Amino acid sequence: MAFAVIAHYRCAPADEDTVRAALLRMREHTLAEPGNLGYEVHADVAGPGAFVLYERYADRSGFDAHAAAGYFDELIVRTVRPLLTERTVTFADVL
């Protein structure tokens, strides 16, 4: 069963360019993963520094492999997350 991740990120406007660049680099890596079915990065129209990510994986293990990748640690854990002022993540099975 396919597995989805929907993430809402918000950062200070001063950090928007850094977060955007890291998310776009992350997209390049993620789309090459064997378990990934899609990785979309959106700029939320709610205002500067707001992003929505929609990710799809073949199954939960595909996401787990994604989260264990070195570039996930570099780009998300060490670059993006420290700059976030808000973060919500929803995990869902695709029906």
Side-chain angles (χ1 to χ4, degrees):
M1 177 181 297
F3 186 75
V5 179
I6 302 99
H8 294 261
Y9 291 169
R10 183 174 301 279
C11 65
D15 295 323
E16 181 176 11
D17 289 343
T18 301
V19 170
R20 179 188 305 268
L23 293 176
L24 293 176
R25 284 184 53 215
M26 190 67 196
R27 179 179 65 188
E28 292 173 21
H29 290 292
T30 304
L31 290 173
E33 294 172 358
N36 180 263
L37 302 175
Y39 189 95
E40 298 179 30
V41 179
H42 306 271
D44 191 330
V45 297
F51 299 93
V52 177
L53 282 71
Y54 180 68
E55 309 170 37
R56 289 183 309 116
Y57 299 88
D59 51 28
R60 178 65 194 237
S61 64
F63 171 76
D64 291 341
H66 164 73
Y71 48 84
F72 183 91
D73 181 60
E74 174 194 344
L75 296 169
I76 300 300
V77 175
R78 290 188 281 139
T79 302
V80 172
R81 285 186 187 165
L83 299 176
L84 298 180
T85 58
E86 293 179 43
R87 174 179 169 253
T88 60
V89 179
T90 300
F91 299 99
D93 291 323
V94 177
L95 300 180

